[in-house]
Amino acid sequence: MGVSWTREQQQVIDLRKRNILVSAAAGSGKTAVLVERIIKMITEGEHPVDIDRLLVVTFTNAAAAEMRERIGAAIEKALEEHPDSEHLQRQLTLIHNAQITTIDSFCLYVIRNHFHEIDLEPDFRIGDEGELKLLKEDVLRGVLESNYEQMSPEFAAFAKGYVSGKSDAKVAEMILSLYEFSMSYPWPMEWLTSGIRGYEIPDVQKMAEAPWMQPLVLHLRSVLADLVKKLRIAHVLTLEENGPDVYEKVIASDLAKFEELAACKNFLELYEKLTAVTYDRLPSSRGFSGDAGKL
């Protein structure tokens, strides 16, 4: 009994001569659909393609091995139904050289076969993680030392803002982290440049309109709302019998201020009111005759 595909799955299997983007949840059958699509491409139509003419890339070696195994099993099954098919016999042989691999392995395959076109020595090798980490750290150390020697105003301001104590280890860690993150983008320098533009702010008004400001304001409002809840609890305690009534006026005053702050809708309003906040002096609890556990 054959597999029963959904309408969308069957459409992915059958569509040809166009780009297709398939977005589906984990466990929804993407691999099975892709295998079926490949099998149909190499077995059906007037001019079925050879399996080694296809490029099938995955993110992990395990996924690539599973894909190759599934395609091989599907070819063997088709060959059982058509044992005299020379084309299927050929596919079973070619699958061992088919490009069913990870993205980085395919890139390495291309470089090894075309090293002479990019002026690369044929005996090159891929550095392991330990070697690459040491190389990055050496390069970064050289960059930092060079900047410390020149000490431009821009670098001095950067160092003042991020160097903690006598060590710049956190700065180096931050730079490496930023580098690794940027390299996950197809055009890392463009991404880094766009990040700089987000902080080129001439005045407070422009800062309030920055795309990163709204999430910050939402976070501050959340923190303020939590403080309001705690102050309300504290205020209730001051009103209880034997409670610390000596603190009631101060806590009531703080509660009113933080309720006003929590109600602010934007950065400018929050900035104006937060910078103007003053706190009343907490009175002494000497002579308090209530429950000391509530102080």
Side-chain angles (χ1 to χ4, degrees):
M1 183 176 179
V3 178
S4 178
W5 306 105
T6 66
R7 182 179 63 83
E8 291 81 5
Q9 288 175 327
Q10 193 65 55
Q11 187 178 27
V12 172
I13 292 169
D14 295 336
L15 282 175
R16 297 289 185 272
K17 297 181 180 179
R18 66 190 68 188
N19 295 326
I20 303 174
L21 174 63
V22 179
S23 177
S28 60
K30 293 189 296 297
T31 302
V33 168
L34 181 55
V35 169
E36 184 68 15
R37 176 179 170 83
I38 292 170
I39 291 300
K40 284 188 175 294
M41 291 177 68
I42 65 177
T43 60
E44 296 183 357
E46 294 183 7
H47 304 287
V49 300
D50 287 332
I51 186 65
D52 65 344
R53 298 289 295 172
L54 297 177
L55 170 62
V56 183
V57 293
T58 66
F59 284 103
T60 66
N61 289 319
E66 180 188 2
M67 182 72 73
R68 186 185 298 274
E69 183 179 348
R70 287 196 187 190
I71 295 173
I75 294 174
E76 289 177 355
K77 183 178 179 181
L79 194 56
E80 288 177 2
E81 299 174 0
H82 307 281
D84 297 329
S85 173
E86 293 184 3
H87 178 74
L88 288 175
Q89 292 173 4
R90 174 179 168 82
Q91 303 317 302
L92 200 58
T93 302
L94 291 176
I95 193 172
H96 299 292
N97 296 320
Q99 286 299 316
I100 306 172
T101 182
T102 60
I103 296 174
D104 54 336
S105 293
F106 172 69
C107 292
L108 181 59
Y109 168 83
V110 172
I111 294 173
R112 287 199 185 282
N113 284 274
H114 299 275
F115 65 89
H116 55 284
E117 297 181 37
I118 55 175
D119 195 25
L120 187 67
E121 293 296 327
D123 59 345
F124 77 92
R125 66 180 182 85
I126 303 298
D128 61 40
E129 288 298 320
E131 288 177 313
L132 296 177
K133 185 174 185 295
L134 289 173
L135 285 172
K136 291 174 187 176
E137 290 175 351
D138 285 344
V139 171
L140 178 56
R141 190 181 301 110
V143 170
L144 289 174
E145 288 177 356
S146 175
N147 277 276
Y148 281 129
E149 291 174 0
Q150 298 176 15
M151 196 54 75
S152 66
E154 294 81 6
F155 184 77
F158 167 76
K160 182 179 179 181
Y162 291 97
V163 173
S164 177
K166 297 181 179 180
S167 172
D168 61 359
K170 290 294 183 181
V171 173
E173 183 181 331
M174 179 184 67
I175 293 173
L176 281 175
S177 176
L178 185 61
Y179 167 78
E180 296 290 352
F181 191 85
S182 68
M183 292 305 291
S184 67
Y185 284 81
W187 295 280
M189 286 307 300
E190 285 79 353
W191 179 81
L192 288 168
T193 303
S194 68
I196 294 173
R197 287 197 297 267
Y199 292 91
E200 292 176 342
I201 300 172
D203 51 49
V204 176
Q205 180 63 45
K206 289 295 183 183
M207 183 166 67
E209 299 170 359
W212 47 265
M213 181 54 73
Q214 190 58 31
L216 176 60
V217 171
L218 289 174
H219 173 69
L220 291 175
R221 290 185 63 194
S222 175
V223 172
L224 289 167
D226 187 55
L227 290 173
V228 167
K229 289 180 182 179
K230 288 180 169 60
L231 284 168
R232 284 174 179 166
I233 294 171
H235 188 246
V236 169
L237 286 174
T238 65
L239 299 176
E240 290 183 354
E241 185 177 356
N242 295 323
D245 54 355
V246 66
Y247 297 148
E248 190 275 331
K249 289 184 179 179
V250 173
I251 292 178
S253 174
D254 287 351
L255 176 59
K257 293 169 185 174
F258 277 90
E259 284 178 333
E260 187 177 5
L261 286 170
C264 294
K265 302 296 183 183
N266 56 65
F267 170 74
L268 291 177
E269 184 182 3
L270 185 60
Y271 172 78
E272 181 180 344
K273 293 186 176 181
L274 191 58
T275 53
V277 168
T278 58
Y279 298 98
D280 298 336
R281 183 182 179 84
L282 196 68
S284 172
S285 62
R286 288 178 186 172
F288 176 67
S289 59
D291 185 353
K294 295 181 179 180
L295 280 175

mmCIF file of all heavy atoms in Angstrom, residues 203-233:
data_model
loop_
_atom_site.group_PDB
_atom_site.id
_atom_site.type_symbol
_atom_site.label_atom_id
_atom_site.label_comp_id
_atom_site.label_asym_id
_atom_site.label_seq_id
_atom_site.Cartn_x
_atom_site.Cartn_y
_atom_site.Cartn_z
ATOM 1 N N ASP A 203 20.069 63.309 19.078
ATOM 2 C CA ASP A 203 19.396 63.935 20.216
ATOM 3 C C ASP A 203 18.451 62.935 20.894
ATOM 4 O O ASP A 203 18.243 61.820 20.424
ATOM 5 C CB ASP A 203 18.622 65.180 19.769
ATOM 6 C CG ASP A 203 17.701 64.897 18.582
ATOM 7 O OD1 ASP A 203 16.937 63.905 18.652
ATOM 8 O OD2 ASP A 203 17.734 65.657 17.604
ATOM 9 N N VAL A 204 17.870 63.387 22.005
ATOM 10 C CA VAL A 204 16.992 62.527 22.801
ATOM 11 C C VAL A 204 15.743 62.129 22.021
ATOM 12 O O VAL A 204 15.256 61.006 22.129
ATOM 13 C CB VAL A 204 16.602 63.230 24.120
ATOM 14 C CG1 VAL A 204 15.613 62.380 24.917
ATOM 15 C CG2 VAL A 204 17.842 63.495 24.959
ATOM 16 N N GLN A 205 15.225 63.046 21.208
ATOM 17 C CA GLN A 205 14.021 62.758 20.434
ATOM 18 C C GLN A 205 14.263 61.600 19.469
ATOM 19 O O GLN A 205 13.432 60.683 19.354
ATOM 20 C CB GLN A 205 13.588 64.008 19.658
ATOM 21 C CG GLN A 205 12.339 63.819 18.802
ATOM 22 C CD GLN A 205 11.101 63.497 19.609
ATOM 23 O OE1 GLN A 205 10.852 64.144 20.626
ATOM 24 N NE2 GLN A 205 10.338 62.514 19.191
ATOM 25 N N LYS A 206 15.416 61.618 18.777
ATOM 26 C CA LYS A 206 15.742 60.544 17.855
ATOM 27 C C LYS A 206 15.976 59.230 18.601
ATOM 28 O O LYS A 206 15.644 58.152 18.095
ATOM 29 C CB LYS A 206 16.983 60.914 17.038
ATOM 30 C CG LYS A 206 16.749 62.016 16.010
ATOM 31 C CD LYS A 206 15.767 61.541 14.939
ATOM 32 C CE LYS A 206 15.584 62.607 13.869
ATOM 33 N NZ LYS A 206 14.575 62.191 12.858
ATOM 34 N N MET A 207 16.547 59.328 19.801
ATOM 35 C CA MET A 207 16.762 58.121 20.590
ATOM 36 C C MET A 207 15.428 57.493 20.986
ATOM 37 O O MET A 207 15.274 56.274 20.983
ATOM 38 C CB MET A 207 17.571 58.448 21.847
ATOM 39 C CG MET A 207 17.899 57.209 22.668
ATOM 40 S SD MET A 207 19.163 57.495 23.929
ATOM 41 C CE MET A 207 18.280 58.590 25.026
ATOM 42 N N ALA A 208 14.446 58.335 21.298
ATOM 43 C CA ALA A 208 13.122 57.824 21.657
ATOM 44 C C ALA A 208 12.462 57.101 20.490
ATOM 45 O O ALA A 208 11.624 56.219 20.685
ATOM 46 C CB ALA A 208 12.235 58.974 22.131
ATOM 47 N N GLU A 209 12.854 57.471 19.259
ATOM 48 C CA GLU A 209 12.265 56.870 18.061
ATOM 49 C C GLU A 209 13.069 55.679 17.541
ATOM 50 O O GLU A 209 12.667 55.046 16.566
ATOM 51 C CB GLU A 209 12.170 57.933 16.958
ATOM 52 C CG GLU A 209 11.280 59.118 17.331
ATOM 53 C CD GLU A 209 11.400 60.264 16.341
ATOM 54 O OE1 GLU A 209 12.187 60.125 15.377
ATOM 55 O OE2 GLU A 209 10.729 61.291 16.524
ATOM 56 N N ALA A 210 14.192 55.377 18.188
ATOM 57 C CA ALA A 210 15.047 54.269 17.735
ATOM 58 C C ALA A 210 14.304 52.944 17.838
ATOM 59 O O ALA A 210 13.507 52.734 18.761
ATOM 60 C CB ALA A 210 16.322 54.227 18.568
ATOM 61 N N PRO A 211 14.554 52.020 16.904
ATOM 62 C CA PRO A 211 13.825 50.738 16.908
ATOM 63 C C PRO A 211 14.077 49.897 18.154
ATOM 64 O O PRO A 211 13.237 49.084 18.525
ATOM 65 C CB PRO A 211 14.336 50.044 15.639
ATOM 66 C CG PRO A 211 15.625 50.709 15.309
ATOM 67 C CD PRO A 211 15.479 52.125 15.755
ATOM 68 N N TRP A 212 15.231 50.073 18.813
ATOM 69 C CA TRP A 212 15.533 49.277 19.993
ATOM 70 C C TRP A 212 14.990 49.889 21.275
ATOM 71 O O TRP A 212 15.071 49.278 22.347
ATOM 72 C CB TRP A 212 17.052 49.096 20.138
ATOM 73 C CG TRP A 212 17.843 50.354 19.972
ATOM 74 C CD1 TRP A 212 18.430 50.806 18.828
ATOM 75 C CD2 TRP A 212 18.126 51.338 20.976
ATOM 76 N NE1 TRP A 212 19.069 52.007 19.045
ATOM 77 C CE2 TRP A 212 18.897 52.354 20.361
ATOM 78 C CE3 TRP A 212 17.818 51.459 22.327
ATOM 79 C CZ2 TRP A 212 19.348 53.466 21.057
ATOM 80 C CZ3 TRP A 212 18.267 52.566 23.025
ATOM 81 C CH2 TRP A 212 19.026 53.559 22.396
ATOM 82 N N MET A 213 14.435 51.122 21.176
ATOM 83 C CA MET A 213 13.977 51.794 22.379
ATOM 84 C C MET A 213 12.662 51.221 22.915
ATOM 85 O O MET A 213 12.473 51.089 24.121
ATOM 86 C CB MET A 213 13.821 53.301 22.108
ATOM 87 C CG MET A 213 13.357 54.101 23.330
ATOM 88 S SD MET A 213 14.414 53.856 24.780
ATOM 89 C CE MET A 213 15.857 54.780 24.286
ATOM 90 N N GLN A 214 11.728 50.874 22.017
ATOM 91 C CA GLN A 214 10.433 50.382 22.476
ATOM 92 C C GLN A 214 10.546 49.115 23.324
ATOM 93 O O GLN A 214 9.923 49.030 24.383
ATOM 94 C CB GLN A 214 9.499 50.156 21.277
ATOM 95 C CG GLN A 214 8.045 49.873 21.656
ATOM 96 C CD GLN A 214 7.412 50.979 22.486
ATOM 97 O OE1 GLN A 214 7.759 52.142 22.350
ATOM 98 N NE2 GLN A 214 6.513 50.607 23.372
ATOM 99 N N PRO A 215 11.341 48.111 22.907
ATOM 100 C CA PRO A 215 11.502 46.944 23.786
ATOM 101 C C PRO A 215 12.095 47.310 25.143
ATOM 102 O O PRO A 215 11.728 46.718 26.164
ATOM 103 C CB PRO A 215 12.450 46.041 22.999
ATOM 104 C CG PRO A 215 12.277 46.451 21.581
ATOM 105 C CD PRO A 215 12.013 47.918 21.611
ATOM 106 N N LEU A 216 13.020 48.292 25.162
ATOM 107 C CA LEU A 216 13.611 48.724 26.424
ATOM 108 C C LEU A 216 12.555 49.363 27.320
ATOM 109 O O LEU A 216 12.497 49.085 28.523
ATOM 110 C CB LEU A 216 14.754 49.707 26.159
ATOM 111 C CG LEU A 216 15.414 50.327 27.403
ATOM 112 C CD1 LEU A 216 16.006 49.232 28.289
ATOM 113 C CD2 LEU A 216 16.490 51.327 26.993
ATOM 114 N N VAL A 217 11.713 50.215 26.732
ATOM 115 C CA VAL A 217 10.644 50.866 27.504
ATOM 116 C C VAL A 217 9.681 49.819 28.055
ATOM 117 O O VAL A 217 9.243 49.898 29.210
ATOM 118 C CB VAL A 217 9.897 51.897 26.633
ATOM 119 C CG1 VAL A 217 8.650 52.410 27.356
ATOM 120 C CG2 VAL A 217 10.818 53.070 26.294
ATOM 121 N N LEU A 218 9.343 48.830 27.243
ATOM 122 C CA LEU A 218 8.440 47.765 27.702
ATOM 123 C C LEU A 218 9.055 47.008 28.881
ATOM 124 O O LEU A 218 8.355 46.657 29.837
ATOM 125 C CB LEU A 218 8.141 46.800 26.550
ATOM 126 C CG LEU A 218 7.253 47.348 25.425
ATOM 127 C CD1 LEU A 218 7.154 46.335 24.290
ATOM 128 C CD2 LEU A 218 5.858 47.677 25.954
ATOM 129 N N HIS A 219 10.364 46.764 28.801
ATOM 130 C CA HIS A 219 11.047 46.078 29.898
ATOM 131 C C HIS A 219 11.023 46.938 31.168
ATOM 132 O O HIS A 219 10.740 46.428 32.271
ATOM 133 C CB HIS A 219 12.482 45.760 29.502
ATOM 134 C CG HIS A 219 13.310 45.210 30.627
ATOM 135 N ND1 HIS A 219 13.096 43.953 31.157
ATOM 136 C CD2 HIS A 219 14.336 45.766 31.342
ATOM 137 C CE1 HIS A 219 13.955 43.741 32.146
ATOM 138 N NE2 HIS A 219 14.717 44.821 32.270
ATOM 139 N N LEU A 220 11.314 48.234 31.032
ATOM 140 C CA LEU A 220 11.312 49.130 32.192
ATOM 141 C C LEU A 220 9.920 49.224 32.808
ATOM 142 O O LEU A 220 9.775 49.241 34.036
ATOM 143 C CB LEU A 220 11.799 50.518 31.778
ATOM 144 C CG LEU A 220 13.280 50.630 31.410
ATOM 145 C CD1 LEU A 220 13.610 52.017 30.894
ATOM 146 C CD2 LEU A 220 14.152 50.286 32.618
ATOM 147 N N ARG A 221 8.900 49.278 31.968
ATOM 148 C CA ARG A 221 7.533 49.332 32.489
ATOM 149 C C ARG A 221 7.191 48.053 33.239
ATOM 150 O O ARG A 221 6.477 48.084 34.249
ATOM 151 C CB ARG A 221 6.549 49.564 31.345
ATOM 152 C CG ARG A 221 6.614 50.968 30.734
ATOM 153 C CD ARG A 221 5.542 51.152 29.690
ATOM 154 N NE ARG A 221 4.224 51.049 30.300
ATOM 155 C CZ ARG A 221 3.099 50.892 29.592
ATOM 156 N NH1 ARG A 221 3.148 50.796 28.286
ATOM 157 N NH2 ARG A 221 1.940 50.832 30.208
ATOM 158 N N SER A 222 7.708 46.925 32.759
ATOM 159 C CA SER A 222 7.476 45.654 33.443
ATOM 160 C C SER A 222 8.143 45.650 34.816
ATOM 161 O O SER A 222 7.557 45.202 35.812
ATOM 162 C CB SER A 222 8.006 44.498 32.593
ATOM 163 O OG SER A 222 7.906 43.272 33.275
ATOM 164 N N VAL A 223 9.388 46.164 34.872
ATOM 165 C CA VAL A 223 10.106 46.247 36.143
ATOM 166 C C VAL A 223 9.379 47.180 37.104
ATOM 167 O O VAL A 223 9.216 46.880 38.303
ATOM 168 C CB VAL A 223 11.553 46.727 35.916
ATOM 169 C CG1 VAL A 223 12.249 47.008 37.245
ATOM 170 C CG2 VAL A 223 12.338 45.703 35.118
ATOM 171 N N LEU A 224 8.932 48.316 36.594
ATOM 172 C CA LEU A 224 8.217 49.289 37.429
ATOM 173 C C LEU A 224 6.900 48.714 37.942
ATOM 174 O O LEU A 224 6.509 48.945 39.094
ATOM 175 C CB LEU A 224 7.969 50.574 36.636
ATOM 176 C CG LEU A 224 9.212 51.421 36.359
ATOM 177 C CD1 LEU A 224 8.915 52.494 35.318
ATOM 178 C CD2 LEU A 224 9.716 52.073 37.653
ATOM 179 N N ALA A 225 6.194 47.970 37.093
ATOM 180 C CA ALA A 225 4.935 47.356 37.516
ATOM 181 C C ALA A 225 5.187 46.358 38.646
ATOM 182 O O ALA A 225 4.376 46.258 39.592
ATOM 183 C CB ALA A 225 4.272 46.651 36.332
ATOM 184 N N ASP A 226 6.301 45.632 38.584
ATOM 185 C CA ASP A 226 6.641 44.694 39.648
ATOM 186 C C ASP A 226 6.963 45.445 40.945
ATOM 187 O O ASP A 226 6.576 45.002 42.037
ATOM 188 C CB ASP A 226 7.842 43.859 39.203
ATOM 189 C CG ASP A 226 8.160 42.747 40.181
ATOM 190 O OD1 ASP A 226 7.258 41.943 40.477
ATOM 191 O OD2 ASP A 226 9.308 42.683 40.655
ATOM 192 N N LEU A 227 7.648 46.575 40.828
ATOM 193 C CA LEU A 227 7.950 47.382 42.013
ATOM 194 C C LEU A 227 6.671 47.937 42.644
ATOM 195 O O LEU A 227 6.554 48.002 43.869
ATOM 196 C CB LEU A 227 8.892 48.531 41.637
ATOM 197 C CG LEU A 227 10.325 48.129 41.280
ATOM 198 C CD1 LEU A 227 11.106 49.336 40.767
ATOM 199 C CD2 LEU A 227 11.031 47.528 42.494
ATOM 200 N N VAL A 228 5.728 48.321 41.788
ATOM 201 C CA VAL A 228 4.444 48.829 42.298
ATOM 202 C C VAL A 228 3.739 47.740 43.112
ATOM 203 O O VAL A 228 3.193 48.006 44.190
ATOM 204 C CB VAL A 228 3.549 49.308 41.140
ATOM 205 C CG1 VAL A 228 2.110 49.532 41.617
ATOM 206 C CG2 VAL A 228 4.107 50.596 40.546
ATOM 207 N N LYS A 229 3.744 46.514 42.618
ATOM 208 C CA LYS A 229 3.115 45.402 43.346
ATOM 209 C C LYS A 229 3.757 45.212 44.721
ATOM 210 O O LYS A 229 3.074 45.034 45.733
ATOM 211 C CB LYS A 229 3.239 44.109 42.541
ATOM 212 C CG LYS A 229 2.373 44.057 41.301
ATOM 213 C CD LYS A 229 2.564 42.732 40.567
ATOM 214 C CE LYS A 229 1.723 42.680 39.291
ATOM 215 N NZ LYS A 229 1.932 41.404 38.552
ATOM 216 N N LYS A 230 5.090 45.275 44.747
ATOM 217 C CA LYS A 230 5.791 45.094 46.016
ATOM 218 C C LYS A 230 5.511 46.236 46.981
ATOM 219 O O LYS A 230 5.353 46.028 48.197
ATOM 220 C CB LYS A 230 7.302 44.973 45.751
ATOM 221 C CG LYS A 230 7.714 43.657 45.103
ATOM 222 C CD LYS A 230 9.210 43.615 44.870
ATOM 223 C CE LYS A 230 9.694 42.207 44.480
ATOM 224 N NZ LYS A 230 9.076 41.693 43.259
ATOM 225 N N LEU A 231 5.453 47.458 46.474
ATOM 226 C CA LEU A 231 5.158 48.610 47.323
ATOM 227 C C LEU A 231 3.735 48.561 47.864
ATOM 228 O O LEU A 231 3.467 48.974 49.000
ATOM 229 C CB LEU A 231 5.386 49.910 46.550
ATOM 230 C CG LEU A 231 6.853 50.328 46.367
ATOM 231 C CD1 LEU A 231 6.973 51.458 45.359
ATOM 232 C CD2 LEU A 231 7.456 50.744 47.714
ATOM 233 N N ARG A 232 2.803 48.066 47.067
ATOM 234 C CA ARG A 232 1.430 47.923 47.544
ATOM 235 C C ARG A 232 1.351 46.929 48.695
ATOM 236 O O ARG A 232 0.636 47.132 49.673
ATOM 237 C CB ARG A 232 0.523 47.494 46.392
ATOM 238 C CG ARG A 232 0.201 48.631 45.420
ATOM 239 C CD ARG A 232 -0.584 48.137 44.225
ATOM 240 N NE ARG A 232 -0.904 49.252 43.326
ATOM 241 C CZ ARG A 232 -1.347 49.096 42.089
ATOM 242 N NH1 ARG A 232 -1.524 47.869 41.589
ATOM 243 N NH2 ARG A 232 -1.617 50.152 41.335
ATOM 244 N N ILE A 233 2.106 45.825 48.561
ATOM 245 C CA ILE A 233 2.148 44.835 49.642
ATOM 246 C C ILE A 233 2.750 45.464 50.897
ATOM 247 O O ILE A 233 2.251 45.273 52.016
ATOM 248 C CB ILE A 233 2.967 43.602 49.211
ATOM 249 C CG1 ILE A 233 2.249 42.859 48.074
ATOM 250 C CG2 ILE A 233 3.204 42.663 50.390
ATOM 251 C CD1 ILE A 233 3.067 41.758 47.445
#
